[in-house]
mmCIF file of all heavy atoms in Angstrom:
data_model
loop_
_atom_site.group_PDB
_atom_site.id
_atom_site.type_symbol
_atom_site.label_atom_id
_atom_site.label_comp_id
_atom_site.label_asym_id
_atom_site.label_seq_id
_atom_site.Cartn_x
_atom_site.Cartn_y
_atom_site.Cartn_z
ATOM 1 N N GLY A 1 85.413 105.922 124.602
ATOM 2 C CA GLY A 1 84.309 106.862 124.623
ATOM 3 C C GLY A 1 82.939 106.229 124.687
ATOM 4 O O GLY A 1 81.939 106.927 124.891
ATOM 5 N N ARG A 2 82.862 104.906 124.514
ATOM 6 C CA ARG A 2 81.572 104.206 124.522
ATOM 7 C C ARG A 2 81.300 103.499 125.842
ATOM 8 O O ARG A 2 80.146 103.236 126.180
ATOM 9 C CB ARG A 2 81.535 103.185 123.385
ATOM 10 C CG ARG A 2 81.657 103.789 121.993
ATOM 11 C CD ARG A 2 81.760 102.685 120.955
ATOM 12 N NE ARG A 2 80.600 101.794 121.053
ATOM 13 C CZ ARG A 2 80.624 100.517 120.641
ATOM 14 N NH1 ARG A 2 81.729 99.992 120.139
ATOM 15 N NH2 ARG A 2 79.541 99.768 120.763
ATOM 16 N N VAL A 3 82.349 103.165 126.562
ATOM 17 C CA VAL A 3 82.235 102.427 127.814
ATOM 18 C C VAL A 3 83.516 102.650 128.603
ATOM 19 O O VAL A 3 84.571 102.946 128.016
ATOM 20 C CB VAL A 3 82.009 100.920 127.540
ATOM 21 C CG1 VAL A 3 83.238 100.304 126.882
ATOM 22 C CG2 VAL A 3 81.642 100.152 128.813
ATOM 23 N N ARG A 4 83.418 102.588 129.925
ATOM 24 C CA ARG A 4 84.631 102.619 130.734
ATOM 25 C C ARG A 4 85.380 101.304 130.552
ATOM 26 O O ARG A 4 84.783 100.232 130.517
ATOM 27 C CB ARG A 4 84.285 102.838 132.205
ATOM 28 C CG ARG A 4 83.681 104.194 132.514
ATOM 29 C CD ARG A 4 83.004 104.173 133.877
ATOM 30 N NE ARG A 4 83.925 103.727 134.910
ATOM 31 C CZ ARG A 4 83.551 103.067 136.018
ATOM 32 N NH1 ARG A 4 82.259 102.781 136.210
ATOM 33 N NH2 ARG A 4 84.441 102.677 136.908
ATOM 34 N N MET A 5 86.683 101.387 130.447
ATOM 35 C CA MET A 5 87.502 100.207 130.186
ATOM 36 C C MET A 5 88.635 100.071 131.179
ATOM 37 O O MET A 5 89.186 101.071 131.654
ATOM 38 C CB MET A 5 88.119 100.276 128.786
ATOM 39 C CG MET A 5 87.260 99.917 127.651
ATOM 40 S SD MET A 5 88.213 100.038 126.095
ATOM 41 C CE MET A 5 88.402 101.826 125.957
ATOM 42 N N SER A 6 88.987 98.835 131.473
ATOM 43 C CA SER A 6 90.199 98.527 132.210
ATOM 44 C C SER A 6 90.771 97.244 131.637
ATOM 45 O O SER A 6 90.024 96.374 131.184
ATOM 46 C CB SER A 6 89.901 98.366 133.706
ATOM 47 O OG SER A 6 91.080 98.054 134.431
ATOM 48 N N PHE A 7 92.095 97.145 131.635
ATOM 49 C CA PHE A 7 92.757 95.967 131.097
ATOM 50 C C PHE A 7 93.564 95.278 132.189
ATOM 51 O O PHE A 7 94.305 95.928 132.935
ATOM 52 C CB PHE A 7 93.681 96.341 129.932
ATOM 53 C CG PHE A 7 92.952 96.857 128.725
ATOM 54 C CD1 PHE A 7 92.694 98.211 128.580
ATOM 55 C CD2 PHE A 7 92.489 95.991 127.747
ATOM 56 C CE1 PHE A 7 92.003 98.706 127.481
ATOM 57 C CE2 PHE A 7 91.801 96.471 126.641
ATOM 58 C CZ PHE A 7 91.555 97.826 126.506
ATOM 59 N N GLY A 8 93.408 93.965 132.269
ATOM 60 C CA GLY A 8 94.257 93.148 133.118
ATOM 61 C C GLY A 8 95.248 92.406 132.243
ATOM 62 O O GLY A 8 94.862 91.552 131.441
ATOM 63 N N TRP A 9 96.513 92.735 132.381
ATOM 64 C CA TRP A 9 97.556 92.187 131.509
ATOM 65 C C TRP A 9 98.258 91.059 132.252
ATOM 66 O O TRP A 9 98.872 91.293 133.290
ATOM 67 C CB TRP A 9 98.522 93.309 131.144
ATOM 68 C CG TRP A 9 99.367 93.043 129.932
ATOM 69 C CD1 TRP A 9 99.274 91.972 129.077
ATOM 70 C CD2 TRP A 9 100.418 93.851 129.426
ATOM 71 N NE1 TRP A 9 100.211 92.066 128.074
ATOM 72 C CE2 TRP A 9 100.914 93.223 128.270
ATOM 73 C CE3 TRP A 9 100.984 95.052 129.844
ATOM 74 C CZ2 TRP A 9 101.962 93.754 127.526
ATOM 75 C CZ3 TRP A 9 102.027 95.582 129.096
ATOM 76 C CH2 TRP A 9 102.507 94.933 127.946
ATOM 77 N N GLY A 10 98.150 89.843 131.712
ATOM 78 C CA GLY A 10 98.618 88.678 132.427
ATOM 79 C C GLY A 10 99.895 88.086 131.879
ATOM 80 O O GLY A 10 100.977 88.663 131.963
ATOM 81 N N THR A 11 99.762 86.902 131.269
ATOM 82 C CA THR A 11 100.924 86.124 130.847
ATOM 83 C C THR A 11 101.831 86.871 129.898
ATOM 84 O O THR A 11 103.063 86.779 129.975
ATOM 85 C CB THR A 11 100.454 84.811 130.203
ATOM 86 O OG1 THR A 11 99.524 84.148 131.069
ATOM 87 C CG2 THR A 11 101.634 83.889 129.940
ATOM 88 N N ASN A 12 101.254 87.624 128.972
ATOM 89 C CA ASN A 12 102.070 88.341 127.991
ATOM 90 C C ASN A 12 102.780 89.558 128.581
ATOM 91 O O ASN A 12 103.584 90.189 127.893
ATOM 92 C CB ASN A 12 101.225 88.747 126.790
ATOM 93 C CG ASN A 12 100.843 87.556 125.930
ATOM 94 O OD1 ASN A 12 101.679 86.712 125.607
ATOM 95 N ND2 ASN A 12 99.562 87.452 125.582
ATOM 96 N N LEU A 13 102.494 89.874 129.817
ATOM 97 C CA LEU A 13 103.283 90.853 130.558
ATOM 98 C C LEU A 13 104.400 90.164 131.324
ATOM 99 O O LEU A 13 105.561 90.561 131.215
ATOM 100 C CB LEU A 13 102.391 91.634 131.525
ATOM 101 C CG LEU A 13 103.117 92.503 132.575
ATOM 102 C CD1 LEU A 13 103.917 93.618 131.908
ATOM 103 C CD2 LEU A 13 102.115 93.088 133.576
ATOM 104 N N THR A 14 104.078 89.145 132.089
ATOM 105 C CA THR A 14 105.032 88.570 133.036
ATOM 106 C C THR A 14 105.715 87.293 132.559
ATOM 107 O O THR A 14 106.530 86.732 133.292
ATOM 108 C CB THR A 14 104.336 88.269 134.378
ATOM 109 O OG1 THR A 14 103.301 87.295 134.150
ATOM 110 C CG2 THR A 14 103.742 89.537 134.979
ATOM 111 N N ASN A 15 105.401 86.844 131.336
ATOM 112 C CA ASN A 15 106.052 85.614 130.871
ATOM 113 C C ASN A 15 106.186 85.583 129.360
ATOM 114 O O ASN A 15 105.971 84.556 128.726
ATOM 115 C CB ASN A 15 105.273 84.386 131.352
ATOM 116 C CG ASN A 15 106.133 83.116 131.312
ATOM 117 O OD1 ASN A 15 107.318 83.140 130.979
ATOM 118 N ND2 ASN A 15 105.529 81.984 131.659
ATOM 119 N N ASP A 16 106.581 86.684 128.760
ATOM 120 C CA ASP A 16 106.785 86.717 127.321
ATOM 121 C C ASP A 16 108.278 86.728 127.016
ATOM 122 O O ASP A 16 108.899 87.780 126.885
ATOM 123 C CB ASP A 16 106.096 87.933 126.697
ATOM 124 C CG ASP A 16 106.155 87.898 125.174
ATOM 125 O OD1 ASP A 16 106.636 86.888 124.613
ATOM 126 O OD2 ASP A 16 105.734 88.886 124.535
ATOM 127 N N PHE A 17 108.843 85.543 126.891
ATOM 128 C CA PHE A 17 110.246 85.381 126.544
ATOM 129 C C PHE A 17 110.411 84.786 125.148
ATOM 130 O O PHE A 17 111.481 84.274 124.811
ATOM 131 C CB PHE A 17 110.952 84.482 127.566
ATOM 132 C CG PHE A 17 111.308 85.177 128.843
ATOM 133 C CD1 PHE A 17 110.327 85.505 129.762
ATOM 134 C CD2 PHE A 17 112.616 85.528 129.126
ATOM 135 C CE1 PHE A 17 110.634 86.151 130.946
ATOM 136 C CE2 PHE A 17 112.938 86.185 130.308
ATOM 137 C CZ PHE A 17 111.939 86.497 131.222
ATOM 138 N N ARG A 18 109.360 84.873 124.338
ATOM 139 C CA ARG A 18 109.431 84.326 122.988
ATOM 140 C C ARG A 18 110.545 85.008 122.203
ATOM 141 O O ARG A 18 110.626 86.236 122.153
ATOM 142 C CB ARG A 18 108.090 84.498 122.276
ATOM 143 C CG ARG A 18 106.908 83.786 122.960
ATOM 144 C CD ARG A 18 105.609 84.164 122.266
ATOM 145 N NE ARG A 18 104.419 83.583 122.881
ATOM 146 C CZ ARG A 18 103.720 84.178 123.849
ATOM 147 N NH1 ARG A 18 104.098 85.375 124.324
ATOM 148 N NH2 ARG A 18 102.645 83.591 124.356
ATOM 149 N N ASP A 19 111.440 84.191 121.620
ATOM 150 C CA ASP A 19 112.549 84.669 120.787
ATOM 151 C C ASP A 19 113.580 85.477 121.572
ATOM 152 O O ASP A 19 114.350 86.252 120.986
ATOM 153 C CB ASP A 19 112.042 85.516 119.607
ATOM 154 C CG ASP A 19 111.065 84.760 118.717
ATOM 155 O OD1 ASP A 19 111.301 83.557 118.476
ATOM 156 O OD2 ASP A 19 110.067 85.366 118.289
ATOM 157 N N CYS A 20 113.630 85.285 122.876
ATOM 158 C CA CYS A 20 114.606 85.998 123.694
ATOM 159 C C CYS A 20 115.828 85.152 124.064
ATOM 160 O O CYS A 20 116.871 85.697 124.424
ATOM 161 C CB CYS A 20 113.958 86.520 124.983
ATOM 162 S SG CYS A 20 112.725 87.815 124.725
ATOM 163 N N ASP A 21 115.703 83.844 123.999
ATOM 164 C CA ASP A 21 116.762 82.942 124.456
ATOM 165 C C ASP A 21 117.708 82.638 123.305
ATOM 166 O O ASP A 21 117.325 82.001 122.323
ATOM 167 C CB ASP A 21 116.134 81.646 124.987
ATOM 168 C CG ASP A 21 117.162 80.678 125.556
ATOM 169 O OD1 ASP A 21 118.370 80.985 125.519
ATOM 170 O OD2 ASP A 21 116.729 79.605 126.042
ATOM 171 N N PRO A 22 118.980 83.059 123.388
ATOM 172 C CA PRO A 22 119.923 82.792 122.288
ATOM 173 C C PRO A 22 120.270 81.323 122.136
ATOM 174 O O PRO A 22 120.744 80.912 121.077
ATOM 175 C CB PRO A 22 121.164 83.606 122.698
ATOM 176 C CG PRO A 22 121.088 83.724 124.179
ATOM 177 C CD PRO A 22 119.630 83.803 124.490
ATOM 178 N N ASP A 23 120.016 80.515 123.176
ATOM 179 C CA ASP A 23 120.345 79.093 123.130
ATOM 180 C C ASP A 23 119.150 78.213 122.811
ATOM 181 O O ASP A 23 119.262 76.980 122.805
ATOM 182 C CB ASP A 23 120.952 78.645 124.467
ATOM 183 C CG ASP A 23 122.346 79.216 124.709
ATOM 184 O OD1 ASP A 23 122.940 79.746 123.747
ATOM 185 O OD2 ASP A 23 122.826 79.155 125.856
ATOM 186 N N ALA A 24 117.981 78.803 122.557
ATOM 187 C CA ALA A 24 116.777 78.019 122.283
ATOM 188 C C ALA A 24 116.864 77.389 120.901
ATOM 189 O O ALA A 24 117.330 77.987 119.944
ATOM 190 C CB ALA A 24 115.534 78.880 122.388
#
């Protein structure tokens, strides 16, 4: 409500595999 906003979602969209690998 104070400013127009847009978000660019980068690494945490396309490369977030933290704690996903059972063999890590």
Side-chain angles (χ1 to χ4, degrees):
R2 298 174 57 205
V3 66
R4 294 163 55 210
M5 281 181 289
S6 180
F7 294 90
W9 199 6
T11 309
N12 289 314
L13 168 64
T14 62
N15 199 3
D16 187 5
F17 281 73
R18 299 173 183 90
D19 302 320
C20 293
D21 183 358
D23 290 347

